[in-house]
């Protein structure tokens, strides 16, 4: 069997880009708005202009960092069971996160999300067979802004089972999450050996680390928590319009993040990710569903793999403002390409409108696309049994065929992917108006949420994590945590 | 064949994005003592306006518009000594920047070019601009419109802070404030007492024109 793979860069292309990235790091440098990180880089051998806050990173530092970063790692669920291996061409999917909006199921209009949306969407994702991670999908506007990062993940830690993809907007917001994760895991050793969360680290193009993000990355590395580096250059905006040039910036930014984490804690797992997206030159919008975003995703994935790292991407999202043909084709193409490229973790199911809007209905539709893509990666198994020469001969040419054969019984569930009823494969009925995928998706959302049973932590851990969250809220001037009445919360 | 006048040729060169030709034609116009006011209004700014119209129709793309705006800006200096103030007057003055701790600028840069093409005098303060600098520059420049860009939920509060600081200094009533950026919204604009929220550059332009029309009805 051949695992279907798509590649767009040959070895020479990759080498050229990586060489150019090394050159950028050494001669142009990374601006780092964080004194501690600049000191770390200087002590590690970088030439640092402290006035301009720019670190010039020589090739030897990059080479050394690539020697200590692991080529694979596992992530674990709430029960400390390994549920996702991030390595080779093994593919996983994670819902899109940090959406400022949500598509209302009743009005089909984009609105601001509330706490109950975060809770309901998380519950929904827990039921989706083809999504391996939970994440802070939306930014409810009824959470005090000081708590926006930490509080969302506090809720997720309390009653979800899947591994977390997380991040923070503040230094303290990440540190309090680490505190809570330590309680979850029962200590530093299990936090390191059985990671429940991956933390995001987004540099700012071109070639800059913001002060808060740089600190987040350092704190994650110190706690041995895997870091996903997510450069987001826009071709023609803050990177060359030529995709190879965008990949060069992307590579340099990624490598600098790897250098920093490995200096802090050699062996910190890295997920070589990205969010490079096309810039729409007519409207000035960033179009994540564009073919350029897909090409870039496949490209930086190949570069990451050539460096011996597990990879991640943002491809598979849609720029449509509705769940419609546009969202179907953009996510269909993107998710399929992500799987064919062997990207280890692709974030995006559920997302619309330039990664700015989540949708319940799109999540369940995308779950089917993910399932289809995963089946695609399994290819066609060819051996004596699957070729079934004797099966063909013994079935003969009679009317009975294969439907009731032992061979079919044994193989049909392995060979055939069964999407949910969102994908309408029922017989044609004339004289009636068939339902739409949107309508069927709405039904499936309701069914899944009705059947969902949360996973609860032991009471002592819940008490401890709640106490941490409350103390943190008070330190930020919030005396009471948000009221969860009516949100569907059962923690 | 009747040769086009120099201002007409400059107009064509702008719309064809030929910066070298624009520079050469302006030098020729200076040598021939052509009225620079006409070169400006019928050549440079007319050409840029044509590019702006093309942009609104989807026929001209952002890089082309920005290139055109750059050509005009580069050649303005040659004309400044020769043109009357009345022709330098524009639709209005836009002072714009990304708020403190926000280093994103792609959207802001597009706004600068589009407003420039539409006939505004644009002053770009750049990124990570402190509230103090915004206040100081409002006092100095006396803009008609103040544009505040924030791309992060953690920096958008600075949009409120700037407006409150303007109120405290007694400057708020003198300027129309338009906010922009992914986390902002109409509701946020109302909450912080901004005059408008620009979902995108076209709507921003429309809202700027409406605000200025209301405050200076013709």
């Amino acid at each position: 069997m051949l695992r279907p793979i798509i590649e767009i860069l040959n070895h020479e292309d990759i080498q050229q880009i990586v060489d150019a990235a090394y050159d950028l790091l050494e001669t142009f440098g990374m601006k780092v708005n964080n004194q501690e990180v600049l000191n770390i880089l200087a002590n590690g051998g970088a030439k640092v202009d402290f006035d301009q806050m720019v670190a010039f990173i020589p090739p030897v530092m990059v080479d050394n960092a690539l020697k200590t970063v692991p080529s694979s790692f596992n992530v674990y669920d709430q029960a400390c069971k390994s549920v996702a291996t991030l390595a080779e061409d093994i593919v996983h999917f994670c819902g899109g996160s940090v959406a400022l909006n949500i598509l209302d199921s009743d009005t089909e209009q984009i609105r601001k999300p509330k706490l109950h949306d975060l809770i309901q969407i998380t519950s929904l994702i827990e039921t989706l067979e083809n999504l391996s991670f939970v994440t802070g999908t939306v930014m409810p506007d009824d959470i005090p802004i000081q708590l926006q990062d930490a509080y969302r993940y506090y809720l997720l830690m309390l009653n979800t089972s899947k591994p977390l993809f997380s991040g923070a907007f503040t230094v303290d917001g990440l540190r309090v999450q680490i505190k809570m994760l330590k309680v979850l895991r029962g200590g530093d050793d299990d936090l390191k050996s059985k990671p429940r969360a991956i933390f995001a680290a987004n540099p700012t193009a071109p070639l800059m680390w913001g002060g808060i993000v740089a600190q987040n990355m350092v704190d994650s590395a110190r706690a041995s928590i895997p870091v996903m580096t997510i450069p987001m250059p826009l071709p023609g905006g803050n990177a060359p319009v030529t995709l190879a040039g965008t990949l060069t910036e992307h590579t340099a930014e990624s490598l600098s993040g790897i250098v920093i984490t490995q200096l802090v804690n050699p062996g910190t797992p890295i997920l070589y990710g990205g969010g490079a997206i096309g810039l729409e030159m007519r409207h000035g919008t960033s179009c994540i569903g564009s073919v350029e975003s897909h090409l870039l995703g496949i490209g930086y994935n190949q570069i990451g793999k050539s460096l011996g790292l597990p990879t991640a991407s943002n491809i598979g999202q849609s720029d449509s403002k509705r769940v419609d043909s546009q969202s179907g084709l953009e996510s269909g193409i993107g998710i399929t390409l992500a799987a064919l490229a062997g990207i280890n973790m692709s974030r995006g199911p559920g997302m619309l409108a330039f990664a700015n809007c989540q949708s319940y209905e799109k999540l369940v539709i995308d779950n089917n696309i993910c399932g289809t893509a995963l089946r695609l990666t399994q290819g066609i198994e060819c051996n004596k049994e699957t070729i079934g020469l004797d099966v063909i001969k013994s079935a003969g040419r009679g009317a009975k065929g294969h439907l009731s054969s032992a061979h079919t019984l044994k193989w049909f569930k392995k060979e055939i992917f069964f999407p949910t009823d969102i994908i309408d494969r029922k017989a044609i009925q004339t004289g009636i108006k068939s339902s739409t995928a949107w309508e069927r998706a709405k039904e499936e959302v309701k069914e899944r949420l009705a059947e969902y049973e949360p996973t609860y932590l032991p009471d002592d851990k819940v008490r401890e994590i709640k106490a941490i969250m409350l103390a943190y809220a008070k330190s930020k001037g919030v005396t009471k945590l948000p009221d969860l009445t009516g949100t569907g919360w059962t923690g | 064949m009747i040769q086009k006048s120099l201002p007409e040729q400059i107009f064509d060169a702008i719309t064809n994005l030929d910066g070298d030709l624009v520079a050469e034609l302006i030098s020729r116009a200076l040598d021939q003592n052509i009225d620079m006011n006409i070169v400006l209004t019928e050549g440079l700014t007319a050409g840029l306006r044509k590019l702006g119209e093309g942009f609104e129709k989807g026929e001209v793309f952002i890089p082309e518009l920005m290139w055109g705006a750059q050509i005009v800006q580069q050649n303005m200096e040659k004309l400044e000594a020769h043109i009357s103030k009345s022709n330098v007057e524009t639709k209005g003055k836009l002072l714009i920047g990304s708020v403190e701790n926000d280093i994103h600028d792609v959207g802001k840069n597009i706004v600068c070019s589009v407003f420039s093409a539409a006939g505004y005098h644009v002053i770009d303060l750049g990124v990570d601009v402190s509230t103090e600098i915004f206040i100081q520059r409002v006092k100095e420049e006396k803009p008609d419109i103040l544009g505040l860009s924030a791309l992060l939920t953690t920096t958008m509060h600075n949009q409120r802070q700037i407006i409150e600081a303007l109120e405290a200094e007694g400057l708020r009533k003198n300027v129309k404030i338009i906010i922009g950026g992914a986390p902002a919204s109409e509701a946020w604009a109302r909450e912080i007492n901004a005059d408008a929220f620009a979902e995108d550059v076209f709507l921003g332009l429309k809202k700027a024109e409406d605000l200025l029309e209301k405050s200076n009805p013709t």
Side-chain angles (χ1 to χ4, degrees):
Chain A
M1 187 208 93
L2 206 62
R3 197 261 197 227
I5 284 281
I6 182 168
E7 292 182 329
I8 53 168
L9 300 172
N10 61 30
H11 175 74
E12 197 189 303
D13 296 332
I14 293 172
Q15 200 55 55
Q16 277 191 83
I17 289 169
V18 171
D19 286 347
Y22 270 63
D23 181 307
L24 267 180
L25 287 176
E26 188 176 23
T27 62
F28 185 75
M30 282 293 291
K31 188 165 168 73
V32 184
N33 291 333
N34 184 300
Q35 193 65 43
E36 183 187 351
V37 177
L38 285 172
N39 288 335
I40 289 168
L41 285 164
N43 292 338
K47 188 172 139 204
V48 176
D49 180 338
F50 284 97
D51 288 334
Q52 298 297 317
M53 304 191 89
V54 175
F56 300 91
I57 301 172
V60 64
M61 285 180 77
V62 180
D63 291 341
N64 288 342
L66 289 171
K67 284 178 190 155
T68 59
V69 66
S71 60
S72 71
F73 63 95
N74 289 3
V75 281
Y76 296 74
D77 66 7
Q78 198 206 78
C80 289
K81 196 174 109 203
S82 172
V83 292
T85 298
L86 297 165
E88 297 167 354
D89 293 323
I90 302 168
V91 171
H92 296 281
F93 295 101
C94 171
S97 56
V98 203
L100 295 168
N101 302 287
I102 194 158
L103 187 69
D104 189 277
S105 300
D106 296 321
T107 64
E108 293 183 62
Q109 291 179 12
I110 293 176
R111 61 165 170 85
K112 289 299 174 191
K114 302 290 178 191
L115 254 178
H116 81 261
D117 291 307
L118 174 66
I119 289 162
Q120 297 295 300
I121 276 207
T122 305
S123 303
L124 183 63
I125 290 177
E126 283 270 277
T127 75
L128 297 178
E129 307 77 15
N130 301 306
L131 267 60
S132 306
F133 292 81
V134 286
T135 186
T137 45
V138 293
M139 301 274 287
D141 73 353
D142 48 356
I143 296 179
I145 195 155
Q146 314 92 304
L147 306 184
Q148 269 287 356
D149 45 12
Y151 186 72
R152 292 181 301 134
Y153 289 101
Y154 154 77
L155 289 179
L156 265 59
M157 281 184 215
L158 284 185
N159 77 343
T160 62
S161 67
K162 291 185 178 178
L164 299 165
F165 174 68
S166 180
F169 314 129
T170 58
V171 171
D172 289 342
L174 192 103
R175 288 177 177 168
V176 74
Q177 287 184 63
I178 293 175
K179 251 180 158 172
M180 292 191 280
L181 282 168
K182 279 187 187 174
V183 169
L184 210 67
R185 280 293 183 254
D188 290 352
D189 290 341
D190 269 6
L191 181 67
K192 181 178 173 176
S193 63
K194 299 190 171 101
R196 172 91 194 275
I198 299 173
F199 282 153
N202 299 58
T204 302
L207 298 149
M208 293 187 279
W209 284 104
I212 292 170
V213 175
Q215 194 62 53
N216 285 165
M217 197 166 45
V218 163
D219 291 341
S220 302
R222 284 196 175 121
S224 302
I225 291 173
V227 171
M228 184 197 295
T229 53
I230 315 179
M232 304 186 74
L234 298 171
N238 46 30
V241 74
T242 47
L243 301 188
T246 296
L247 285 175
T248 301
E249 260 191 38
H250 183 285
T251 307
E253 290 174 13
S254 302
L255 289 173
S256 72
I258 294 168
V259 166
I260 291 166
T261 53
Q262 302 307 299
L263 283 172
V264 166
N265 184 3
T268 300
I270 292 287
L271 197 49
Y272 188 98
I277 43 185
L279 182 60
E280 226 296 345
M281 293 300 192
R282 289 163 296 184
H283 305 289
T285 47
S286 46
C287 39
I288 201 160
S290 63
V291 66
E292 295 78 34
S293 303
H294 299 154
L295 284 165
L296 288 165
I298 298 167
Y300 58 73
N301 163 69
Q302 272 192 263
I303 294 168
K305 287 189 188 306
S306 78
L307 297 170
L309 299 167
T311 59
S313 82
N314 275 9
I315 65 175
Q317 305 186 35
S318 170
D319 302 312
S320 179
K321 320 303 179 286
R322 301 281 294 272
V323 176
D324 57 8
S325 302
Q326 179 185 345
S327 67
L329 80 91
E330 287 177 340
S331 291
I333 292 172
I335 289 172
T336 300
L337 288 172
L340 290 179
I343 297 173
N344 300 124
M345 196 252 253
S346 279
R347 295 164 48 224
M351 292 293 250
L352 295 163
F354 320 118
N356 247 323
C357 180
Q358 256 289 358
S359 159
Y360 294 89
E361 290 77 17
K362 187 163 185 294
L363 268 167
V364 291
I365 292 171
D366 287 353
N367 181 52
N368 279 292
I369 303 177
C370 293
T372 304
L374 288 168
R375 173 60 187 95
L376 197 58
T377 64
Q378 289 160 4
I380 294 180
E381 190 172 342
C382 281
N383 54 47
K384 197 170 166 197
E385 195 179 350
T386 60
I387 289 171
L389 203 50
D390 53 337
V391 171
I392 297 169
K393 289 177 185 173
S394 68
R397 297 185 179 89
K400 221 171 158 195
H402 294 264
L403 274 175
S404 58
S405 77
H407 186 265
T408 299
L409 193 66
K410 179 180 175 184
W411 283 98
F412 85 97
K413 283 188 180 175
K414 292 175 196 164
E415 291 286 284
I416 301 173
F417 167 66
F418 293 94
T420 70
D421 287 341
I422 287 175
I423 306 300
D424 181 4
R425 291 176 177 176
K426 294 182 183 151
I428 299 172
Q429 289 179 274
T430 55
I432 62 154
K433 193 173 164 187
S434 299
S435 63
T436 62
W438 165 261
E439 287 161 347
R440 295 189 295 275
K442 277 180 79 168
E443 283 310 304
E444 186 172 313
V445 168
K446 285 182 194 152
E447 284 162 13
R448 284 182 180 270
L449 287 175
E451 290 166 11
Y452 170 63
E453 285 180 18
T455 312
Y456 297 111
L457 283 177
D459 288 346
D460 58 331
K461 291 204 179 188
V462 170
R463 273 194 299 272
E464 206 175 337
I465 289 175
K466 270 188 177 169
I468 293 172
M469 189 65 228
L470 196 52
Y472 177 73
K474 283 181 178 161
S475 75
K476 298 296 169 190
V478 177
T479 51
K480 224 171 117 189
L481 295 179
D483 181 6
L484 296 173
T485 313
T487 61
W489 174 256
T490 57
Chain B
M1 189 179 90
I2 300 170
Q3 185 159 22
K4 287 184 175 180
S5 68
L6 278 172
E8 284 171 335
Q9 289 180 63
I10 289 167
F11 174 90
D12 287 344
I14 295 276
T15 56
N16 290 328
L17 303 175
D18 191 339
D20 290 341
L21 182 57
V22 169
E24 184 199 315
L25 290 168
I26 286 183
S27 293
R28 252 198 263 163
L30 282 164
D31 289 342
Q32 292 176 26
N33 290 320
I34 306 261
D35 185 344
M36 287 296 123
N37 293 294
I38 298 177
V39 167
L40 174 68
T41 55
E42 294 179 20
L44 290 177
T45 53
L48 191 57
R49 210 164 34 248
K50 182 77 180 163
L51 285 174
E53 286 163 10
F55 176 63
E56 285 188 48
K57 286 185 207 163
E59 294 161 2
V60 170
F61 294 77
I62 292 168
E64 293 164 332
L65 183 67
M66 290 180 85
W67 190 258
Q70 245 173 252
I71 294 173
V72 167
Q73 202 175 353
Q74 282 160 6
N75 286 282
M76 276 299 285
E77 288 165 23
K78 293 178 198 164
L79 305 187
E80 267 168 3
H82 305 275
I83 48 181
S84 62
K85 199 174 179 313
S86 61
N87 276 324
V88 180
E89 274 170 17
T90 59
K91 270 192 191 172
K93 186 187 277 189
L94 166 69
L95 184 73
I96 186 170
S98 295
V99 301
E100 189 164 5
N101 293 322
D102 205 309
I103 53 178
H104 301 93
D105 66 353
V106 171
K108 174 186 67 61
N109 292 347
I110 294 169
V111 167
C112 288
S113 288
V114 170
F115 270 69
S116 189
Y120 287 83
H121 176 204
V122 177
I123 301 169
D124 182 1
L125 299 178
V127 298
D128 189 14
V129 182
S130 68
T131 298
E132 291 72 28
I133 298 281
F134 268 113
I135 305 308
Q136 181 192 320
R137 295 304 299 270
V138 165
K139 282 182 186 168
E140 288 168 7
E141 300 291 345
K142 298 181 178 39
D144 300 291
I145 309 261
L146 177 64
L148 304 176
S149 173
L151 198 74
L152 307 172
T153 50
T154 46
T155 59
M156 64 193 287
H157 67 94
N158 289 311
Q159 291 171 328
R160 185 205 299 265
Q161 197 178 74
I162 290 161
I163 292 173
E164 286 174 352
L166 286 169
E167 281 163 356
E169 296 267 353
L171 297 167
R172 177 65 184 93
K173 58 185 183 310
N174 303 332
V175 64
K176 299 297 178 194
I177 300 177
I178 302 180
I179 60 169
S185 62
E186 290 284 0
W188 175 242
R190 281 194 298 274
E191 186 179 328
I192 64 173
N193 194 28
D195 292 294
F197 162 60
E199 294 91 332
D200 65 27
V201 66
F202 294 116
L203 286 166
L205 197 57
K206 178 82 183 51
K207 288 182 185 183
E209 285 170 0
D210 289 345
L211 286 168
L212 292 183
E213 173 68 27
K214 275 185 198 150
S215 52
N216 299 304
T218 48

